[in-house]
């Protein structure tokens, strides 16, 4: 029998649900904003400054992308000293480190059971990840890890991905998040980038994201693929990322997302034979041109320092890190983050599906708004008074999220509808004015979805009309 107290709670819930349902004209919107995630994001940007450490097989090949068949015997740091790394980070007043546990050529520098291509079969025969996390924690620094999805040694690359590859990824991430204590963040690379060509469908992002959160609920997951997606939306990451060496930059003064920017102190990510005699970036430039400016925009700065083949930092890098520490201090929390929508982590069901629309402007036809390219757009012809855009599915499809992405804020009033059982039905009326309009609602099943544009400041256009069925 249901208690009176429980009955009251259920009644209040149903009233709230019904009110929201009625206000939206048919489908209740769902609030998936996570205060817990927002707290973790704020804590991350408040760390301000950390050390990236690219150290792996490439260190010994004089190339960031070495031969994927390079022998484990090449990896032989005879004077490995992770405590030196940690003390160098402390000297620059950094707050954390992040180590490349596996880079694109697939060599694992921890004691993994997933593959023989690992450090335990090298002359070192020691778990570098363990020595790193122990050293950094001993020196009062927080610990993060880097992991590459692209893996050329194990043939985890475009057009060759098998279920066994996905199981390997899950096993390796499980090892990294269960063997080494608390990991503040897992930085992922080689996923959905133009040079890796491994999509979030090939290796299912949502599954990996949920695995990370199951193993360590406080671990942030960030993907180093900030260039493809709009700057004011969190797509496939908990933290917006910018690889500055690749030309990725945020617009100064405009950032509202929790963000990370990375840059090497040397001329490349992994150690090269000319590093000991080549000047590194200066402390003054790193602090004034990067660190201070990024921090003022709610962005954490991670500076890469590459260990040499002995497993230690070169003298010129150590000296410049000390100079940074003389002129920079962590002054405490950055500006508070505003409320942001929960990250998009699911597969886009609208991508490359049949699309239709009211009259478009010249050649900017409907296909451009679901081509998975935020650089193109469907544009409505200015003579159309009530423009609309729709996507059809090959079969009845479950969905619970729609995103309207514009290059710039423009559309300010609209109606979302779905087609089922032979008729169009309302999802909700929207009036969000930002350029990334995310709407989450109770799950529906539809053959088509569409947007009717009821108001805009100028000629309407849509860069991407996205549809998702999120796991909730």
């Amino acid at each position: 029998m249901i208690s009176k107290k429980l009955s009251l709670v259920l009644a209040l819930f149903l009233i709230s649900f019904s009110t929201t349902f009625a206000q939206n004209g048919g489908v209740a919107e769902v609030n998936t904003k996570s205060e817990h995630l927002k707290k973790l994001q704020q804590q991350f940007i408040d760390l301000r400054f950390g050390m990236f450490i690219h150290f792996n097989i490439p260190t010994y090949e004089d190339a960031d992308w070495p031969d994927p068949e390079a022998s484990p015997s090449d990896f032989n740091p005879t004077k490995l000293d992770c405590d030196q790394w940690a003390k160098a980070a402390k000297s620059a007043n950094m707050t954390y480190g992040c180590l490349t546990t596996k880079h694109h050529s697939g060599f694992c520098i921890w004691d993994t059971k997933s593959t023989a291509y690992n450090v335990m079969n090298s002359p070192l025969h020691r778990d570098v990840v363990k020595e790193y996390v122990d050293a950094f924690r001993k020196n009062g620094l927080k610990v993060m890890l880097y992991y590459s999805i692209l893996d050329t040694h194990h043939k985890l690359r475009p057009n060759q991905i098998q279920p066994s590859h996905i199981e390997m990824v899950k096993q390796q991430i499980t090892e990294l998040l269960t063997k080494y204590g608390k990991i503040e963040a897992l930085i992922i690379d080689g996923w959905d980038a133009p040079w890796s060509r491994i999509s979030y469908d090939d290796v299912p992002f949502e599954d990996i994201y949920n695995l990370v959160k199951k193993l360590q609920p406080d671990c942030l997951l960030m993907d180093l693929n900030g260039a493809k997606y709009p700057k004011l939306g969190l797509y496939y990451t908990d933290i917006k990322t910018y690889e500055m060496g690749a030309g990725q930059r945020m617009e100064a003064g405009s950032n509202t997302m929790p963000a990370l920017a990375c840059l090497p102190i040397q001329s490349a990510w992994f150690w090269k034979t000319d590093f000991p005699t080549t000047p590194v970036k200066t402390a003054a430039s790193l602090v004034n041109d990067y660190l201070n400016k990024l921090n003022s925009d709610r962005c954490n700065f991670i500076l890469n320092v590459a260990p040499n083949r002995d497993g230690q930092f070169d003298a010129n890098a150590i000296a410049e890190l000390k100079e940074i520490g003389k002129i920079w201090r962590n002054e405490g929390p950055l500006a508070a983050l505003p409320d942001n929508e929960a990250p998009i982590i699911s597969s886009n069901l609208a991508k490359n599906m049949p699309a239709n629309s009211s009259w478009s402007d010249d050649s900017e036809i409907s296909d451009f708004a679901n081509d998975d390219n935020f650089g193109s757009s469907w544009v409505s012809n200015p003579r159309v008074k009530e423009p609309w855009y729709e996507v059809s599915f090959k079969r009845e499809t479950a969905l619970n999220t729609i995103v309207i992405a514009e290059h710039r804020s423009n559309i300010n009033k609209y109606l979302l509808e779905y087609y089922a059982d032979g008729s169009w039905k309302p999802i909700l009326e929207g009036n969000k004015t930002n350029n990334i309009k995310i709407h989450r609602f109770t799950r529906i099943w539809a053959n088509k979805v569409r947007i009717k544009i009821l108001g805009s400041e100028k000629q309407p256009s849509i860069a991407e009309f996205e549809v998702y069925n999120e796991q909730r």
Side-chain angles (χ1 to χ4, degrees):
M1 174 177 273
I2 300 176
S3 69
K4 289 184 178 179
K5 184 175 181 180
L6 181 56
S7 296
L8 178 60
V9 170
L10 287 171
L12 290 172
F13 170 78
L14 289 172
I15 290 170
S16 174
F17 181 91
S18 299
T19 301
T20 306
F21 189 93
Q23 288 172 345
N24 288 330
V27 178
E29 283 206 75
V30 175
N31 180 8
T32 62
K33 293 176 183 176
S34 169
E35 289 302 317
H36 179 66
L37 177 58
K38 182 180 177 182
K39 179 181 177 182
L40 295 174
Q41 291 167 331
Q42 185 71 46
Q43 290 173 348
F44 174 76
I45 64 170
D46 289 346
L47 290 175
R48 288 181 178 254
F49 188 33
M51 176 181 283
F52 225 161
I53 305 161
H54 276 62
F55 183 59
N56 207 287
I57 279 281
T59 305
Y60 299 86
E61 307 296 333
D62 215 34
D64 282 5
W65 286 46
D67 181 354
E69 301 305 321
S71 172
S73 64
D74 293 352
F75 189 82
N76 189 22
T78 55
K79 300 177 183 178
L80 178 66
D81 188 355
C82 296
D83 190 65
Q84 185 220 36
W85 305 352
K87 285 181 167 54
K90 288 283 286 186
S91 75
N93 293 316
M94 292 172 169
T95 55
Y96 67 93
C98 182
L99 175 67
T100 53
T101 64
K102 184 184 79 166
H103 202 252
H104 308 325
S105 55
F107 186 72
C108 302
I109 58 172
W110 76 94
D111 185 7
T112 179
K113 308 306 177 189
S114 65
T115 175
Y117 199 54
N118 73 72
V119 69
M120 304 310 286
N121 293 311
S122 76
L124 180 67
H125 200 73
R126 285 155 47 191
D127 188 325
V128 181
V129 173
K130 184 178 189 310
E131 294 188 23
Y132 150 75
V133 299
D134 288 348
F136 272 64
R137 288 190 182 119
K138 184 181 73 174
N139 283 276
L141 297 161
K142 295 184 183 297
V143 169
M144 302 177 192
L145 301 175
Y146 165 108
Y147 176 87
S148 173
I149 293 293
L150 177 67
D151 184 332
T152 55
H153 176 83
H154 297 95
K155 307 297 189 290
L156 200 172
R157 57 192 190 193
N159 308 315
Q160 300 190 48
I161 298 171
Q162 302 297 322
S164 58
H165 286 124
I166 297 170
E167 290 308 308
M168 181 188 73
V169 168
K170 290 180 178 179
Q171 180 180 349
Q172 290 178 347
I173 287 177
T174 297
E175 289 176 347
L176 292 171
L177 295 184
T178 56
K179 294 176 61 176
Y180 303 103
K182 181 177 175 59
I183 305 300
E184 304 290 333
L186 183 66
I187 297 181
I188 303 285
D189 199 7
W191 210 353
D192 200 46
W195 46 266
S196 75
R197 294 165 293 124
I198 298 171
S199 76
Y200 294 132
D201 299 323
D202 294 333
V203 177
F205 185 91
E206 191 166 22
D207 289 356
I208 303 303
Y209 184 92
N210 288 334
L211 173 65
V212 169
K213 300 301 181 177
K214 177 182 177 182
L215 295 171
Q216 292 212 28
D218 290 346
C219 180
L220 292 165
L221 188 148
M222 58 189 88
D223 189 9
L224 291 178
N225 187 20
K228 175 179 177 179
Y229 295 96
K231 295 182 178 181
L232 296 181
L234 286 176
Y235 286 84
Y236 306 101
T237 188
D238 287 331
I239 303 291
K240 200 75 179 168
T241 61
Y242 297 89
E243 187 174 331
M244 303 187 80
Q248 298 172 19
R249 297 287 193 278
M250 68 173 68
E251 295 177 14
S254 66
N255 180 52
T256 59
M257 303 279 119
L260 169 74
C262 55
L263 191 74
I265 193 171
Q266 293 125 330
S267 60
W269 294 104
F270 284 98
W271 190 84
K272 304 295 185 292
T273 52
D274 66 343
F275 276 11
T277 56
T278 301
V280 298
K281 295 177 179 68
T282 67
S285 174
L286 289 167
V287 171
N288 297 323
D289 298 336
Y290 297 99
L291 182 51
N292 286 339
K293 291 180 179 179
L294 291 166
N295 281 179
S296 68
D297 256 344
R298 300 186 180 95
C299 185
N300 186 315
F301 181 44
I302 183 168
L303 179 68
N304 188 75
V305 187
N308 59 33
R309 292 175 182 174
D310 287 334
Q312 298 185 11
F313 290 154
D314 292 330
N316 55 359
I318 289 178
E320 213 61 40
L321 290 169
K322 289 179 180 177
E323 290 301 312
I324 292 174
K326 292 177 182 178
I327 61 176
W328 184 84
R329 294 284 187 278
N330 186 332
E331 301 294 341
L334 299 179
L337 289 166
D339 285 336
N340 287 306
E341 297 283 351
I344 296 293
I345 63 172
S346 304
S347 295
N348 182 4
L349 304 176
K351 183 170 64 177
N352 298 324
M353 287 291 106
N356 196 12
S357 70
S358 54
W359 185 16
S360 63
D361 194 12
D362 294 334
S363 63
E364 294 165 309
I365 58 177
S366 56
D367 307 310
F368 288 115
N370 69 331
D371 60 355
D372 197 35
N373 179 359
F374 290 87
S376 63
S377 291
W378 163 76
V379 181
S380 175
N381 188 286
R383 290 164 62 183
V384 176
K385 302 302 181 185
E386 296 181 352
W388 55 270
Y389 179 91
E390 75 178 33
V391 171
S392 301
F393 305 111
K394 295 177 181 178
R395 61 187 64 85
E396 189 176 63
T397 299
L399 59 115
N400 57 15
T401 302
I402 292 177
V403 181
I404 305 109
E406 305 173 273
H407 286 301
R408 292 179 177 82
S409 302
N410 177 31
I411 298 170
N412 51 39
K413 188 176 182 182
Y414 46 94
L415 173 66
L416 294 176
E417 298 179 308
Y418 70 106
Y419 190 85
D421 301 323
S423 65
W424 286 101
K425 309 173 193 299
I427 299 174
L428 58 88
E429 288 190 15
N431 57 6
K432 293 186 177 182
T433 57
N434 50 317
N435 72 311
I436 306 297
K437 309 174 200 304
I438 300 176
H439 290 284
R440 291 177 162 101
F441 43 84
T442 54
R443 184 170 284 109
I444 57 176
W445 283 260
N447 301 107
K448 305 177 187 180
V449 290
R450 75 180 175 189
I451 177 174
K452 286 184 174 180
I453 300 170
L454 307 177
S456 62
E457 294 182 7
K458 52 185 180 294
Q459 191 173 357
S461 67
I462 297 176
E464 285 294 307
F465 186 79
E466 309 157 42
V467 179
Y468 303 94
N469 184 32
E470 297 180 332
Q471 298 175 22
R472 296 184 195 147

